[in-house]
Amino acid sequence: MQEKEPFIINRIKSVGFAFKGMLILIRTEASIKVQLCIALVVIIAGFYFDISNTEWIAQIAMIGLVLSIEGINTAVEAIADFIHPDYHEKIGLIKDVAAGAVFIASIAAVTIACIIYIPKF
């Protein structure tokens, strides 16, 4: 039986795997690259318009939400393609639902951005 690693070593390895996954996502997914560019624009806008701490919290939370759900969507699509590489109606439905979750988060993010920035113009 293999000896268990110490907790702290295990956590450090887990963070390393998560970081690796984030880099893979950024390097391979065009939609993440677009969303990162949008995030950069709204972060710059936040500094330019000197938004409040509460507005920063909302903005950062929405950026994190959209990027995270996009990562989950990518994972769902990869699993679905692995399980059934050919077209299948139910796999298509699963992929559409996962993409819909990204869309919902994106609508919420745009709504919050409008609430923050429209009054500043």
Side-chain angles (χ1 to χ4, degrees), residues 61-75:
M62 293 314 298
I63 290 169
L65 179 70
V66 171
L67 294 175
S68 296
I69 294 180
E70 183 62 52
I72 292 168
N73 177 52
T74 300

Side-chain angles (χ1 to χ4, degrees), residues 22-83:
M22 180 187 68
L23 291 178
I24 290 168
L25 187 61
I26 292 168
R27 281 197 309 261
T28 62
E29 289 300 312
S31 57
I32 283 286
K33 291 175 186 173
V34 169
Q35 291 162 354
L36 284 171
C37 288
I38 293 168
L40 182 62
V41 167
V42 295
I43 288 168
I44 292 168
F47 285 114
Y48 179 79
F49 289 107
D50 193 29
I51 64 176
S52 71
N53 286 345
T54 304
E55 291 168 330
W56 273 114
I57 290 167
Q59 181 169 287
I60 291 167
M62 293 314 298
I63 290 169
L65 179 70
V66 171
L67 294 175
S68 296
I69 294 180
E70 183 62 52
I72 292 168
N73 177 52
T74 300
V76 166
E77 288 181 355
I79 290 168
D81 290 342
F82 179 77
I83 291 170

